[in-house]
Amino acid sequence: MYSNWKIDNNDEYLYLQITNIIAHDIESGRLKPNTRLPSHRKLCEIFNVSRNTIIMAIDELVYLSYVEVRAQSGVYVKNIFIDDKNKATPNWDKYFSNSLHRYGNIKRIDQLTSSSNDSNIINISAAGLGKDFNFLASSISEATYKICSKDLSKINHFNKYGYRPLRKLIAERISMQGRLIDEDNILIVPSVLQGINLTAMAFLSFASNFIFATPNVINMDSIVHYTGVNMIGVEQDNEGINVEQLKHHLSVHNCMVYTNSSYHNPTGISMSLDRKISLLKTTSKYKIPIMEVDSMRDIYFDKPLGKSLFALDKNESVIYFGSLLRTLTLNLGISWIAAPKNVIEKLSDVKAQHDIYPSMLLQLIVTELMESGTYDNYLERVRKLLLEKRNNTHYLLNKYLYDVAEWDSKNSNFYIWLKLKEINSKKLYDITNNILFYPGFFFDKKDTTHLSICIASCSNEEMEQAIKILQQNINRLK
């Protein structure tokens, strides 16, 4: 019955191939409602993949309402395409399975990262500060108590731009780069991702060109895809996006360039000053705007980061995104957009139309942390620990993987883009069950040689254990 269940050696994620195969058999009627799917072990044998891959495929099928998990029994096909004529309720499962968000990228990330909650799995690719950095918790508690002991009426105050004192503080921090702005240049949003999506909705139209440096995390978790824009990846070298290649995509009307100026995810590349100037000159020639994500500016190692594109820009062509997401161990849901005032006004209107407002209480907490100097004191400790972790990770890579992998030492700071010399990263991912890492094809479907490591994601002991497992599995594939 399952002889047609075979996956191809193509660029699509293995778990999505399995999802598509089973979903197709359900839609075609080959798998009838209430049919019990084979066990996880049997599915592993049928598709010749790891248990993790099968779990992700089943999770996707459950999410899309093709199957359901029955306790102590197994996984069963749902009645998704059979409408009960005696029932007036719409078939919501059928509607959802055929909706715009059929294979939502956000759901995919949830599936990949949910394994991080398993104490037996080490996540070496989680793009944030791990448990070793959780020394701001008491300060957040103190700030919250201080705020809640005062008049709380301001929590209910509405401002579509965000809390003015916080916007002023953020404007002052950005102005330290040399470009003076004020709070009217700032819009508070819950996340950079939502800010990017708002910008795409506000300034791009269907079939506009959205140009970015590849490989890129935007291929994993961006809802920009659903706005109907053309996602165009442009290659980069160790100084940033290839400007000469970029020029071939700038002649069309209504396009935008998206870039990470520092600690590009996943490659770790920080754009050189010359490349930033070259990029600005090129885009200004065509009057093309730039989205610049710089959410890790407060994190640096040997010396502070150079000026951002936003600070260097003289033509008001850059929309600048910042966040606390990568500098804190818990997500306070506070990010911001800095842009010319007329752009902020338009973005605030789109934000209001979609009813997107970050918590006022969280804005007050962040304001208190910044005003009191607590946040900057915390960052000093973070930077020292990050430097230690970077050096330790480099030591471990040289100790265990120097003969089977390589990496750009210049750009291997917060992120390390590890290139396997002979091993296919898809195959490595498929046989690795004890650790979680993001292989190159998550960021660029053509990439079969890389994997991403975040030096801050876990403890030094866990990082060594994980790299040992990688070494063992690489040797198995030789």
Side-chain angles (χ1 to χ4, degrees):
M1 179 177 178
Y2 306 112
S3 59
N4 66 317
W5 283 12
K6 296 179 181 179
I7 54 179
D8 300 320
N9 187 22
N10 59 28
D11 294 327
E12 188 175 27
Y13 306 151
L14 293 179
Y15 85 94
L16 282 184
Q17 289 190 54
I18 297 169
T19 300
N20 289 334
I21 289 169
I22 298 176
H24 178 268
D25 277 8
I26 294 173
E27 291 177 2
S28 67
R30 180 181 172 88
L31 283 175
K32 305 296 183 184
N34 295 313
T35 298
R36 185 181 184 276
L37 294 187
S39 67
H40 281 41
R41 177 179 293 180
K42 183 63 177 178
L43 288 171
C44 289
E45 294 175 0
I46 292 172
F47 290 106
N48 192 27
V49 296
S50 70
R51 187 171 181 272
N52 274 357
T53 301
I54 294 300
I55 290 173
M56 290 165 59
I58 296 299
D59 283 348
E60 187 78 1
L61 288 164
V62 170
Y63 178 67
L64 296 173
S65 299
Y66 283 100
V67 301
E68 61 183 348
V69 179
R70 299 178 187 173
Q72 307 301 319
S73 181
V75 180
Y76 290 81
V77 177
K78 293 181 71 173
N79 296 326
I80 181 172
F81 293 104
I82 297 180
D83 289 317
D84 188 343
K85 295 181 180 179
N86 298 318
K87 198 172 183 181
T89 304
N91 188 335
W92 291 115
D93 289 341
K94 180 179 178 180
Y95 274 92
F96 184 77
S97 69
N98 290 294
S99 71
L100 182 65
H101 297 278
R102 181 174 175 84
Y103 291 123
N105 288 313
I106 298 302
K107 176 62 181 175
R108 181 181 302 166
I109 295 304
D110 288 344
Q111 291 169 335
L112 293 173
T113 57
S114 63
S115 300
S116 299
N117 297 323
D118 187 336
S119 59
N120 296 319
I121 294 179
I122 303 171
N123 189 340
I124 61 171
S125 293
L129 303 184
K131 57 188 176 183
D132 288 353
F133 295 85
N134 194 24
F135 38 76
L136 188 63
S138 60
S139 297
I140 292 176
S141 298
E142 292 171 6
T144 304
Y145 177 80
K146 185 175 180 179
I147 291 165
C148 292
S149 63
K150 298 179 180 179
D151 179 12
L152 294 180
S153 60
K154 67 173 64 176
I155 291 179
N156 297 317
H157 288 178
F158 169 80
N159 187 315
K160 68 176 184 177
Y161 300 99
Y163 186 44
R164 181 173 287 274
L166 177 58
R167 289 161 48 215
K168 183 177 180 181
L169 286 169
I170 292 170
E172 289 172 352
R173 297 176 81 90
I174 294 174
S175 295
M176 292 173 65
Q177 295 184 48
R179 177 179 174 179
L180 298 180
I181 59 172
D182 59 35
E183 60 266 33
D184 292 332
N185 293 105
I186 303 295
L187 179 69
I188 305 296
V189 291
S191 71
V192 168
L193 181 60
Q194 285 182 315
I196 292 170
N197 191 46
L198 285 174
T199 305
M201 289 189 292
F203 297 106
L204 294 177
S205 59
F206 184 78
S208 295
N209 282 359
F210 186 91
I211 309 166
F212 59 95
T214 190
N216 205 298
V217 71
I218 204 166
N219 283 323
M220 283 180 66
D221 62 4
S222 177
I223 48 180
V224 172
H225 300 71
Y226 297 119
T227 62
V229 299
N230 295 318
M231 305 291 290
I232 299 176
V234 174
E235 293 178 357
Q236 57 185 333
D237 55 29
N238 62 2
E239 292 189 23
I241 192 168
N242 186 319
V243 176
E244 290 303 313
Q245 189 180 124
L246 175 71
K247 292 177 181 178
H248 297 298
H249 304 287
L250 295 182
S251 58
V252 300
H253 175 67
N254 204 22
C255 67
M256 189 171 285
V257 176
Y258 167 88
T259 184
N260 299 87
S261 57
S262 57
Y263 304 132
H264 172 270
N265 190 358
T267 65
I269 294 172
S270 291
M271 198 179 296
S272 68
L273 177 59
D274 288 342
R275 187 61 53 86
K276 290 175 183 176
I277 293 172
S278 176
L279 176 59
L280 287 170
K281 285 182 177 179
T282 300
T283 53
S284 65
K285 178 181 178 181
Y286 294 93
K287 298 183 179 179
I288 300 297
I290 297 174
M291 290 189 200
E292 179 187 18
V293 175
D294 196 21
S295 57
M296 296 174 61
R297 172 155 292 273
D298 287 338
I299 293 177
Y300 52 82
F301 294 83
D302 304 312
K303 59 182 179 180
L305 297 171
K307 289 185 177 182
S308 63
L309 289 164
F310 182 77
L312 294 167
D313 176 36
K314 297 179 181 179
N315 299 309
E316 297 200 327
S317 63
V318 178
I319 301 175
Y320 186 72
F321 301 86
S323 177
L324 296 179
L325 180 61
R326 297 289 176 255
T327 58
L328 301 177
T329 49
L330 76 147
N331 182 8
L332 291 182
I334 299 297
S335 299
W336 53 87
I337 303 173
K341 295 177 182 179
N342 61 329
V343 172
I344 292 296
E345 179 64 33
K346 290 178 173 60
L347 288 173
S348 68
D349 287 344
V350 176
K351 175 186 166 189
Q353 290 173 32
H354 288 80
D355 198 25
I356 297 174
Y357 297 104
S359 163
M360 181 57 76
L361 176 59
L362 293 178
Q363 292 184 67
L364 291 171
I365 291 172
V366 172
T367 302
E368 172 63 27
L369 293 174
M370 287 185 173
E371 285 182 336
S372 65
T374 302
Y375 179 62
D376 286 311
N377 291 335
Y378 160 80
L379 286 175
E380 288 295 324
R381 294 182 63 185
V382 167
R383 292 178 189 125
K384 290 179 181 178
L385 184 54
L386 279 174
L387 183 59
E388 174 193 321
K389 284 185 171 292
R390 183 196 67 177
N391 294 341
N392 177 70
T393 306
H394 285 187
Y395 167 77
L396 294 174
L397 291 175
N398 280 304
K399 181 178 180 180
Y400 295 107
L401 300 180
Y402 75 96
D403 58 335
V404 294
E406 57 188 28
W407 55 95
D408 177 8
S409 57
K410 173 189 172 185
N411 289 304
S412 294
N413 290 303
F414 193 80
Y415 298 111
I416 298 177
W417 192 226
L418 198 69
K419 182 177 182 180
L420 305 176
K421 293 180 179 179
E422 300 176 0
I423 302 302
N424 186 309
S425 60
K426 284 188 177 182
K427 294 181 179 179
L428 179 63
Y429 176 77
D430 200 37
I431 68 168
T432 304
N433 290 319
N434 299 322
I435 63 173
L436 180 64
F437 66 87
Y438 300 159
F441 65 89
F442 281 11
F443 306 93
D444 180 349
K445 64 180 182 179
K446 298 178 182 178
D447 192 317
T448 59
T449 60
H450 290 88
L451 63 91
S452 172
I453 295 177
C454 177
I455 58 107
S457 61
C458 56
S459 69
N460 291 346
E461 294 74 18
E462 290 172 329
M463 184 65 77
E464 180 164 19
Q465 182 181 347
I467 291 177
K468 281 182 178 179
I469 292 172
L470 281 179
Q471 181 195 45
Q472 293 166 2
N473 288 339
I474 289 171
N475 289 336
R476 283 173 57 194
L477 291 173
K478 280 185 175 180

